[in-house]
Amino acid sequence: MIDYKGYTGVFDYDPEAECFSGHVVDLRDEIYFEGASVPALKASLKRAVDHYLTVCEQRGEKPDRPYSGHLRLRMDSGLHREVAVAAASRGVSINRFIIETLEKRID
């Protein structure tokens, strides 16, 4: 993973082509980048994101922003109840409980 201006790019290496290629994962729009070395890959990501932002500005469109911080969850009503009880027993909101639980699980 590499980041630029809050946009996250993931990439793979193709040994036959001896080239890295990747895409930005945070958007509905598609942004691709590539390079024969890590520095070239990073430069390509920067150019691609900057180009995307310029095009959006020229069109008068708001660019997609990586992750709003809002996430809707659907779960079984029994699990919902268990989460609510666990949150209440810890004296926190369901939202806070879910965030803390996720933070513990992600390295």
Side-chain angles (χ1 to χ4, degrees):
M1 272 189 331
I2 53 177
D3 294 305
Y4 178 67
K5 292 187 176 179
Y7 294 89
T8 302
V10 296
F11 58 92
D12 292 311
Y13 180 71
D14 182 345
E16 289 183 25
E18 296 184 346
C19 183
F20 294 98
S21 63
H23 65 280
V24 174
V25 296
D26 318 270
L27 306 173
R28 289 175 292 210
D29 294 315
E30 295 180 9
I31 299 177
Y32 294 97
F33 55 97
E34 64 183 15
S37 66
V38 172
L41 183 72
K42 289 179 177 181
S44 179
L45 171 64
K46 289 178 182 179
R47 282 191 308 274
V49 169
D50 287 341
H51 176 72
Y52 169 72
L53 296 173
T54 298
V55 168
C56 287
E57 184 178 341
Q58 290 171 346
R59 292 180 178 168
E61 299 172 356
K62 291 178 79 174
D64 262 356
R65 295 304 309 161
Y67 306 110
S68 66
H70 297 271
L71 177 67
R72 290 185 176 181
L73 296 174
R74 293 176 192 237
M75 64 184 79
D76 176 86
S77 60
L79 177 59
H80 191 168
R81 181 181 185 284
E82 289 179 41
V83 169
V85 168
S89 71
R90 289 168 178 78
V92 298
S93 68
I94 291 175
N95 189 73
R96 172 62 28 211
F97 176 78
I98 291 172
I99 290 170
E100 290 173 357
T101 302
L102 289 172
E103 287 173 341
K104 290 175 187 173
R105 296 290 302 187
I106 297 175
D107 295 330

